[in-house]
Amino acid sequence: MNEEVLVRLRVGVGGKILDMGCGLGATLRSFARRRPDLNLTGITVVPWQVERGTELNAECAEGERVRLMQGDYERTELDAGTFDAVYGVESTCYARGADKGLLLREAYRLLKPGGRMVMADGFLESGDRFANVQRPIYRKLCECWVIDTLGEIDQVTMEMERLGFSEVQVERAQMRVAPSVFHVPWVTLKFLLTDVVFGQRKMTRARWNNIIAPVLLPWVSWPLGPMVYCIVSATKPVIL
């Protein structure tokens, strides 16, 4: 997925990229390995992610080209027109609203003319396609992942076009990510056995939520429900 996102960003030599919701910076480090020429920045709202991600950067050669910072990606303090590309890999879902308007507006502001935005994440094909039994499942899923709501793909693309983005493209990739989804229960079981049952870790509410959410996910996802996985890309046009 990291490689697919990087290809769609279409960044030239020496380009500046911002990861909007970088977590520990793993995707940025993968970019640094593939493209030593890039200038890479990540922003996350979680302080400990900046601290731990910076430690991980220091442990590898490519990490010296990655800078992590704390901040709100819906309202950064970065200068307008700073980046050749911005992206989010499974982080844009945390932005507010079904149209993700605040995040998209900030992304548009930060991009240079001709710059690219790419989002790889879960979306809803339509917010009203839930069966009655699926609605409480979806709300519990959002609660577990601390999400306001997933983006509704039609609203997201309409907002992108309204802001001025061009070349808006939606690629549905749920079948490509399905193997990873089916792998989650095995990772969860391994964690429970090695870290909890035979280890020293305690089960916190956050850990329970990360176990519950993957169990709920298939019941609201394609083909049973309206949740799909998409790669959405667009360009900030050059105005002559």
Side-chain angles (χ1 to χ4, degrees):
M1 183 60 72
N2 293 340
E3 185 174 358
E4 294 293 333
V5 169
L6 183 57
V7 167
R8 287 160 178 77
L9 290 175
R10 304 178 193 166
V11 183
V13 175
K16 297 182 69 175
I17 298 179
L18 175 67
D19 184 329
M20 304 185 81
C22 63
L24 299 179
T27 298
L28 289 167
R29 287 188 291 275
S30 80
F31 286 2
R33 286 193 295 273
R34 292 176 170 87
R35 292 281 304 275
D37 61 290
L38 295 178
N39 184 312
L40 301 165
T41 302
I43 187 168
T44 173
V45 74
V46 184
W48 72 263
Q49 290 183 341
V50 176
E51 181 180 349
R52 179 57 184 147
T54 301
E55 292 173 352
L56 292 171
N57 289 345
E59 293 172 5
C60 59
E62 63 271 13
E64 65 183 14
R65 297 188 298 277
V66 176
R67 178 173 73 100
L68 305 183
M69 58 181 293
Q70 184 185 352
D72 180 356
Y73 65 14
E74 293 183 337
R75 189 185 296 272
T76 74
E77 298 180 358
L78 299 167
D79 293 336
T82 301
F83 296 95
D84 299 286
V86 300
Y87 73 91
V89 176
E90 297 172 12
S91 60
T92 57
C93 58
Y94 293 98
R96 287 172 285 177
D99 64 358
K100 305 305 176 187
L102 292 175
L103 171 66
L104 295 174
R105 190 177 303 118
E106 185 67 355
Y108 192 87
R109 185 186 73 83
L110 292 171
L111 281 172
K112 299 176 182 178
R116 294 273 294 168
M117 180 180 190
V118 175
M119 298 181 286
D121 218 323
F123 294 88
L124 299 179
E125 286 194 307
S126 176
D128 59 3
R129 282 193 53 205
F130 284 114
N132 288 337
V133 70
Q134 290 177 316
R135 292 186 184 280
I137 295 175
Y138 173 66
R139 291 316 314 167
K140 183 62 178 178
L141 179 70
C142 290
E143 178 187 324
C144 287
W145 279 340
V146 200
I147 294 172
D148 170 35
T149 181
L150 293 176
E152 294 185 26
I153 197 65
D154 291 342
Q155 290 194 39
V156 170
T157 54
M158 286 176 59
E159 180 65 8
M160 295 181 96
E161 291 169 351
R162 189 191 69 79
L163 288 168
F165 281 104
S166 62
E167 300 181 312
V168 178
Q169 183 179 11
V170 177
E171 302 170 78
R172 286 168 170 77
Q174 54 266 21
M175 293 305 295
R176 299 293 298 274
V177 301
S180 294
V181 174
F182 290 129
H183 186 61
V184 169
W186 301 106
V187 175
T188 303
L189 180 61
K190 179 182 177 182
F191 168 78
L192 287 173
L193 289 175
T194 60
D195 288 52
V196 178
V197 176
F198 298 108
Q200 302 298 318
R201 295 205 182 186
K202 303 290 185 181
M203 286 304 296
T204 63
R205 170 48 56 186
R207 288 180 179 139
W208 276 118
N209 285 342
N210 283 326
I211 289 172
I212 294 169
V215 175
L216 300 178
L217 185 62
W219 301 101
V220 293
S221 299
W222 184 91
L224 297 179
M227 183 176 171
V228 292
Y229 196 100
C230 298
I231 303 175
V232 182
S233 55
T235 302
K236 180 176 180 176
V238 177
I239 301 175
L240 301 177

